[in-house]
């Protein structure tokens, strides 16, 4: 299921164990069960303040680690030209299908690429953004990935990391933090789906999800931070 380059990145010794390697486990999920991942991502909705905060009416936007389009669909109306970079072929297929179904197939260019080697020119985007994809780990960004995002961003443009998991790491590199208040819940399509996906992705919380009997489950109950935060940097002109 991995290309040669993907295998070199995610299983460098050739015998990775997804039960011990979180990065490998997610990369396998993206390629083996992309529809399952999409169901989870669709339920984990971003705080509306995060989307509303993003710059509007910009010329060019580059999204890195676009996945199946959790953020991409929101970016379509914000830029004249949008490029969505996603390394996993099954995820790109779902994203292209969603864009076509929404009538945006000609508004977004979906391309293959990794954080540390973006297929985009220098200074080519007004906004470079990653949503629930970037981490300090070299497999999902790291120093090289952040440098690539800043390379692609034009002077005076914005680099934005949505739902960051290491704010201190980003702050040390000049990024400012914004958070939006209010209760947030994972909104599954149904109670049955809430139970099914909790058993797969949040097994420690599955019993409580069953007991509550609701399709809406607070993020805190699942043991994860709500997607209410972002970190950003405006590059010097």
């Amino acid at each position: 299921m991995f290309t040669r380059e993907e295998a070199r990145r995610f299983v460098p010794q050739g015998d990775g164990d997804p039960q011990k390697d979180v990065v490998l486990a997610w990369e396998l999920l993206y390629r083996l069960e992309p529809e399952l991942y999409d169901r989870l991502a669709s339920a984990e909705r971003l705080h509306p303040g995060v989307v509303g905060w993003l710059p509007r009416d910009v010329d060019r936007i580059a999204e890195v680690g676009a996945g199946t389009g959790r953020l991409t669909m929101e970016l379509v109306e914000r830029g004249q030209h949008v490029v969505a970079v996603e390394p996993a072929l099954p995820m790109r297929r779902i994203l292209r299908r969603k864009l076509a179904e929404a009538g945006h197939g000609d508004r977004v260019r979906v391309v293959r690429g990794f954080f540390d080697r973006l297929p985009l020119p220098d200074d080519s985007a007004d906004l470079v953004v990653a949503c629930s994809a970037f981490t300090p780990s070299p497999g999902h960004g790291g120093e090289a990935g952040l440098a690539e995002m800043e390379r692609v961003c034009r002077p005076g443009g914005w680099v934005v990391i949505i739902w960051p998991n290491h704010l201190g790491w980003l702050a040390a590199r000049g990024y400012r933090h914004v958070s939006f208040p209010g209760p947030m819940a994972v909104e599954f399509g149904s109670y049955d789906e809430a139970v099914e996906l909790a058993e797969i992705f949040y097994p420690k919380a599955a019993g409580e999800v069953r007991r509550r009997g609701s399709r809406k489950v607070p993020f805190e109950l699942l043991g994860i931070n709500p997607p209410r935060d972002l970190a950003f940097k405006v590059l010097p002109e």
Side-chain angles (χ1 to χ4, degrees):
M1 79 290 297
F2 285 138
T3 66
R4 182 175 299 177
E5 181 179 8
E6 289 169 346
R8 177 180 59 80
R9 288 172 175 273
F10 304 127
V11 282
Q13 306 305 318
D15 58 354
D17 183 352
Q19 294 187 340
K20 299 179 181 178
D21 186 335
V22 174
V23 171
L24 176 59
W26 280 104
E27 294 298 336
L28 287 170
L29 176 69
Y30 300 153
R31 290 159 178 82
L32 293 174
E33 295 283 355
E35 297 286 353
L36 179 63
Y37 167 78
D38 184 52
R39 290 167 61 198
L40 176 67
S42 297
E44 295 175 340
R45 300 176 185 176
L46 301 174
H47 192 294
V50 169
V51 177
W53 181 93
L54 293 173
R56 295 177 178 270
D57 301 321
V58 298
D59 184 25
R60 297 182 181 275
I61 298 175
E63 182 187 7
V64 187
T68 58
R70 185 201 324 248
L71 179 65
T72 316
M73 308 303 286
E74 304 285 352
L75 297 175
V76 172
E77 303 301 329
R78 281 180 151 70
Q80 295 299 315
H81 307 276
V82 179
V83 178
V85 182
E86 168 54 45
L89 176 58
M91 308 275 268
R92 295 199 302 273
R93 286 173 173 162
I94 293 175
L95 177 53
R96 289 190 179 107
R97 185 190 73 211
K98 285 184 173 183
L99 290 166
E101 290 173 350
H104 299 320
D106 59 344
R107 296 286 307 277
V108 180
R109 183 164 62 96
V110 181
V111 300
R112 177 179 181 271
F114 295 90
F115 268 106
D116 62 353
R117 198 163 66 196
L118 298 177
L120 303 171
D122 295 357
D123 305 338
S124 59
D126 304 285
L127 169 64
V128 183
V129 59
C131 176
S132 184
F134 183 91
T135 78
S137 165
H140 285 161
E143 296 283 5
L146 199 62
E148 273 288 89
M149 292 179 71
E150 294 185 10
R151 175 187 66 79
V152 169
C153 188
R154 68 165 178 79
W158 301 65
V159 178
V160 182
I161 309 295
I162 294 174
W163 207 357
N165 66 348
H166 287 78
L167 287 169
W169 189 91
L170 289 166
R173 287 151 182 82
Y175 282 73
R176 298 166 61 187
H177 174 219
V178 179
S179 185
F180 298 90
M184 295 189 68
V186 182
E187 299 184 29
F188 297 100
S190 67
Y191 165 68
D192 288 341
E193 182 178 64
V195 171
E196 176 192 356
L197 295 184
E199 289 177 344
I200 296 171
F201 293 101
Y202 314 109
K204 293 182 179 179
E208 182 63 19
V209 171
R210 283 192 295 271
R211 189 193 68 78
R212 292 172 64 91
S214 173
R215 73 177 186 87
K216 295 185 178 181
V217 182
F219 277 89
E220 291 81 359
L221 177 63
L222 300 177
I224 57 176
N225 294 324
R228 64 169 80 253
D229 298 278
L230 61 87
F232 76 97
K233 177 191 283 188
V234 179
L235 298 193
E237 298 191 49

